[in-house]
Amino acid sequence: MDVRVHYAPHRNSDGRILGALAIMEDVTELRDAEKEHRRLEGALQQAQKMEAVGTLAGGIAHDFNNLLTGICGGLELGLLDVPQDSVAAENLRHAGTAAERAMELTQQLLTLSRRQEPTMAPTDVNEVVDRIGRLLRRSIPEVIQVRTVLGPGMPTIRADAGQLEQALLNLGINARDAIADGQGEISFATEAVEVGEAEARLQGSVAPGSYIRVTVTDSGVGMAADVVDRAFEPFYTTKDQGKGTGLGLAMVYTCVKAHEGWVDVESAPGTGTSIRLHLPLIELASLSRAEGEKQTPHGDEIILLVDDQETVLRVGRRMLERCGYEVVTARDGREALERFAERQTEIALVLADLMMPRCDGRDLLKGLRARGSAVPVVLASG
């Protein structure tokens, strides 16, 4: 019990001290409320910091993605034009691998800024965890044991399996790096848990109910309290220069928040680290798994391709032409309306960038509809 004591001297009529008057007040509930207030205040500050940095990162990622579209598209087209066993093809493949890594970083930035919205679908968390466990066993030294402890009868949840895989992979890589002496253990465990009102309130805006908890534990060096407090901050890292971007745990935090869950950490120097992801169970009656293999589309229709980036326009045109389509190009919405007017009865599809100067994708769509055209329009963004 926490108490607050108030006391004052008790005097007689001539001012002589006869004793002391003390009042003891039980402040246990008040102290608990203050602790909860400070925790919620810290969570709000963390969320505001993530939002500010995410906005900046999203702007950078958008421009970077436009550049990568041209780079990756050009490399893929180049591979189609050279013998696959040639030195040129090998060089192009190496460049493509580097570009793919850059794309992964861009995806992390977009996830961090929440401009890369999760694609929700029925997801078996045990399958995802088992897949990441097998991947890590193949890619990290054998002296580090990777264990998976999968809860039986785990329900399917509504989640973005790709984002969840990336989050767990980030945690696995961090766990590997935390095992300083090269020998230790990383474990992934899943379980179904019920979260009550009190626990949900401590996490801010999450709802009480049924959750799946994924716990990633390592036997590494652990983290001091001040490092734990900053662990999910974007670009914060304790790794040596050149060995980390500081985006791994920030991406985990953003991914779990996008799934309406939360993540917490338990760690201390010399005792390893446990990171727990809490993902809510959501009704899946209206969802179904996508079936069938993706096939490269082919056709002979005319497509109006609109983008203000010359590189994107050139690569997009060449790719569509390789699939058999005839392509008409425009650099903004106004030019696109002119091109459409010239071949209105022939164009089967308009594929346009969302953000363009002078006349963007939305204005283009309005202009087409104002002219009475019902042509299908796809608006995309880098």
Side-chain angles (χ1 to χ4, degrees), residues 314-330:
R314 184 172 61 254
V315 170
R317 177 173 189 161
R318 290 186 62 191
M319 286 185 164
L320 290 169
E321 287 176 343
R322 279 186 174 272
C323 294
Y325 299 99
E326 181 181 342
V327 181
V328 177
T329 62

mmCIF file of all heavy atoms in Angstrom, residues 314-330:
data_model
loop_
_atom_site.group_PDB
_atom_site.id
_atom_site.type_symbol
_atom_site.label_atom_id
_atom_site.label_comp_id
_atom_site.label_asym_id
_atom_site.label_seq_id
_atom_site.Cartn_x
_atom_site.Cartn_y
_atom_site.Cartn_z
ATOM 1 N N ARG A 314 8.689 5.294 -70.424
ATOM 2 C CA ARG A 314 9.408 4.513 -71.426
ATOM 3 C C ARG A 314 9.401 3.021 -71.077
ATOM 4 O O ARG A 314 9.123 2.166 -71.932
ATOM 5 C CB ARG A 314 10.851 5.018 -71.540
ATOM 6 C CG ARG A 314 11.648 4.310 -72.637
ATOM 7 C CD ARG A 314 12.994 4.941 -72.856
ATOM 8 N NE ARG A 314 13.839 4.886 -71.665
ATOM 9 C CZ ARG A 314 14.128 5.902 -70.887
ATOM 10 N NH1 ARG A 314 13.629 7.102 -71.150
ATOM 11 N NH2 ARG A 314 14.920 5.758 -69.833
ATOM 12 N N VAL A 315 9.698 2.706 -69.817
ATOM 13 C CA VAL A 315 9.728 1.297 -69.408
ATOM 14 C C VAL A 315 8.335 0.686 -69.474
ATOM 15 O O VAL A 315 8.145 -0.443 -69.951
ATOM 16 C CB VAL A 315 10.317 1.172 -67.989
ATOM 17 C CG1 VAL A 315 10.135 -0.246 -67.454
ATOM 18 C CG2 VAL A 315 11.786 1.544 -67.987
ATOM 19 N N GLY A 316 7.326 1.429 -68.998
ATOM 20 C CA GLY A 316 5.960 0.913 -69.038
ATOM 21 C C GLY A 316 5.503 0.630 -70.459
ATOM 22 O O GLY A 316 4.861 -0.389 -70.723
ATOM 23 N N ARG A 317 5.853 1.521 -71.370
ATOM 24 C CA ARG A 317 5.460 1.324 -72.768
ATOM 25 C C ARG A 317 6.105 0.061 -73.339
ATOM 26 O O ARG A 317 5.426 -0.752 -73.986
ATOM 27 C CB ARG A 317 5.869 2.541 -73.589
ATOM 28 C CG ARG A 317 5.568 2.392 -75.076
ATOM 29 C CD ARG A 317 5.834 3.667 -75.831
ATOM 30 N NE ARG A 317 5.339 3.570 -77.201
ATOM 31 C CZ ARG A 317 5.102 4.599 -77.989
ATOM 32 N NH1 ARG A 317 5.301 5.831 -77.552
ATOM 33 N NH2 ARG A 317 4.660 4.435 -79.219
ATOM 34 N N ARG A 318 7.387 -0.117 -73.091
ATOM 35 C CA ARG A 318 8.079 -1.285 -73.645
ATOM 36 C C ARG A 318 7.523 -2.581 -73.074
ATOM 37 O O ARG A 318 7.371 -3.580 -73.788
ATOM 38 C CB ARG A 318 9.577 -1.179 -73.375
ATOM 39 C CG ARG A 318 10.277 -0.077 -74.170
ATOM 40 C CD ARG A 318 11.766 -0.124 -73.969
ATOM 41 N NE ARG A 318 12.342 -1.380 -74.432
ATOM 42 C CZ ARG A 318 13.592 -1.774 -74.179
ATOM 43 N NH1 ARG A 318 14.375 -0.999 -73.450
ATOM 44 N NH2 ARG A 318 14.049 -2.920 -74.641
ATOM 45 N N MET A 319 7.208 -2.583 -71.777
ATOM 46 C CA MET A 319 6.661 -3.795 -71.161
ATOM 47 C C MET A 319 5.295 -4.138 -71.732
ATOM 48 O O MET A 319 5.004 -5.305 -72.032
ATOM 49 C CB MET A 319 6.563 -3.607 -69.651
ATOM 50 C CG MET A 319 7.907 -3.660 -68.933
ATOM 51 S SD MET A 319 7.711 -3.589 -67.139
ATOM 52 C CE MET A 319 9.339 -4.149 -66.629
ATOM 53 N N LEU A 320 4.438 -3.141 -71.871
ATOM 54 C CA LEU A 320 3.104 -3.390 -72.425
ATOM 55 C C LEU A 320 3.180 -3.833 -73.882
ATOM 56 O O LEU A 320 2.422 -4.710 -74.320
ATOM 57 C CB LEU A 320 2.247 -2.132 -72.286
ATOM 58 C CG LEU A 320 1.825 -1.769 -70.857
ATOM 59 C CD1 LEU A 320 1.205 -0.380 -70.810
ATOM 60 C CD2 LEU A 320 0.849 -2.805 -70.309
ATOM 61 N N GLU A 321 4.092 -3.238 -74.635
ATOM 62 C CA GLU A 321 4.246 -3.630 -76.040
ATOM 63 C C GLU A 321 4.744 -5.063 -76.162
ATOM 64 O O GLU A 321 4.343 -5.778 -77.090
ATOM 65 C CB GLU A 321 5.193 -2.661 -76.745
ATOM 66 C CG GLU A 321 4.558 -1.291 -76.999
ATOM 67 C CD GLU A 321 5.529 -0.297 -77.606
ATOM 68 O OE1 GLU A 321 6.761 -0.541 -77.541
ATOM 69 O OE2 GLU A 321 5.078 0.726 -78.139
ATOM 70 N N ARG A 322 5.589 -5.497 -75.222
ATOM 71 C CA ARG A 322 6.045 -6.898 -75.256
ATOM 72 C C ARG A 322 4.885 -7.868 -75.001
ATOM 73 O O ARG A 322 4.941 -9.029 -75.396
ATOM 74 C CB ARG A 322 7.137 -7.127 -74.204
ATOM 75 C CG ARG A 322 8.519 -6.682 -74.649
ATOM 76 C CD ARG A 322 9.568 -7.085 -73.620
ATOM 77 N NE ARG A 322 10.901 -6.779 -74.098
ATOM 78 C CZ ARG A 322 11.650 -7.593 -74.824
ATOM 79 N NH1 ARG A 322 11.167 -8.777 -75.171
ATOM 80 N NH2 ARG A 322 12.854 -7.238 -75.205
ATOM 81 N N CYS A 323 3.854 -7.385 -74.318
ATOM 82 C CA CYS A 323 2.685 -8.227 -74.066
ATOM 83 C C CYS A 323 1.653 -8.132 -75.185
ATOM 84 O O CYS A 323 0.556 -8.692 -75.072
ATOM 85 C CB CYS A 323 2.034 -7.834 -72.733
ATOM 86 S SG CYS A 323 3.054 -8.161 -71.290
ATOM 87 N N GLY A 324 1.985 -7.412 -76.254
ATOM 88 C CA GLY A 324 1.120 -7.369 -77.422
ATOM 89 C C GLY A 324 0.249 -6.146 -77.543
ATOM 90 O O GLY A 324 -0.461 -5.979 -78.546
ATOM 91 N N TYR A 325 0.253 -5.275 -76.549
ATOM 92 C CA TYR A 325 -0.624 -4.106 -76.583
ATOM 93 C C TYR A 325 -0.014 -2.974 -77.411
ATOM 94 O O TYR A 325 1.207 -2.839 -77.490
ATOM 95 C CB TYR A 325 -0.892 -3.593 -75.159
ATOM 96 C CG TYR A 325 -1.573 -4.601 -74.276
ATOM 97 C CD1 TYR A 325 -0.840 -5.359 -73.366
ATOM 98 C CD2 TYR A 325 -2.946 -4.803 -74.355
ATOM 99 C CE1 TYR A 325 -1.461 -6.293 -72.549
ATOM 100 C CE2 TYR A 325 -3.572 -5.733 -73.548
ATOM 101 C CZ TYR A 325 -2.828 -6.484 -72.642
ATOM 102 O OH TYR A 325 -3.449 -7.410 -71.854
ATOM 103 N N GLU A 326 -0.874 -2.160 -77.984
ATOM 104 C CA GLU A 326 -0.436 -0.911 -78.595
ATOM 105 C C GLU A 326 -0.564 0.177 -77.535
ATOM 106 O O GLU A 326 -1.576 0.233 -76.814
ATOM 107 C CB GLU A 326 -1.294 -0.563 -79.809
ATOM 108 C CG GLU A 326 -0.863 0.727 -80.503
ATOM 109 C CD GLU A 326 -1.719 1.085 -81.703
ATOM 110 O OE1 GLU A 326 -2.427 0.188 -82.218
ATOM 111 O OE2 GLU A 326 -1.701 2.264 -82.110
ATOM 112 N N VAL A 327 0.440 1.036 -77.428
ATOM 113 C CA VAL A 327 0.482 1.998 -76.331
ATOM 114 C C VAL A 327 0.534 3.423 -76.869
ATOM 115 O O VAL A 327 1.364 3.750 -77.724
ATOM 116 C CB VAL A 327 1.699 1.748 -75.411
ATOM 117 C CG1 VAL A 327 1.705 2.743 -74.252
ATOM 118 C CG2 VAL A 327 1.674 0.315 -74.873
ATOM 119 N N VAL A 328 -0.349 4.245 -76.349
ATOM 120 C CA VAL A 328 -0.337 5.689 -76.592
ATOM 121 C C VAL A 328 0.088 6.340 -75.277
ATOM 122 O O VAL A 328 -0.438 5.995 -74.214
ATOM 123 C CB VAL A 328 -1.726 6.202 -77.011
ATOM 124 C CG1 VAL A 328 -1.702 7.719 -77.192
ATOM 125 C CG2 VAL A 328 -2.192 5.508 -78.277
ATOM 126 N N THR A 329 1.035 7.282 -75.314
ATOM 127 C CA THR A 329 1.562 7.860 -74.076
ATOM 128 C C THR A 329 1.215 9.349 -73.959
ATOM 129 O O THR A 329 1.012 10.043 -74.955
ATOM 130 C CB THR A 329 3.087 7.699 -73.999
ATOM 131 O OG1 THR A 329 3.708 8.390 -75.088
ATOM 132 C CG2 THR A 329 3.481 6.241 -74.016
ATOM 133 N N ALA A 330 1.168 9.803 -72.711
ATOM 134 C CA ALA A 330 0.967 11.220 -72.402
ATOM 135 C C ALA A 330 1.670 11.512 -71.092
ATOM 136 O O ALA A 330 1.804 10.634 -70.236
ATOM 137 C CB ALA A 330 -0.518 11.545 -72.303
#
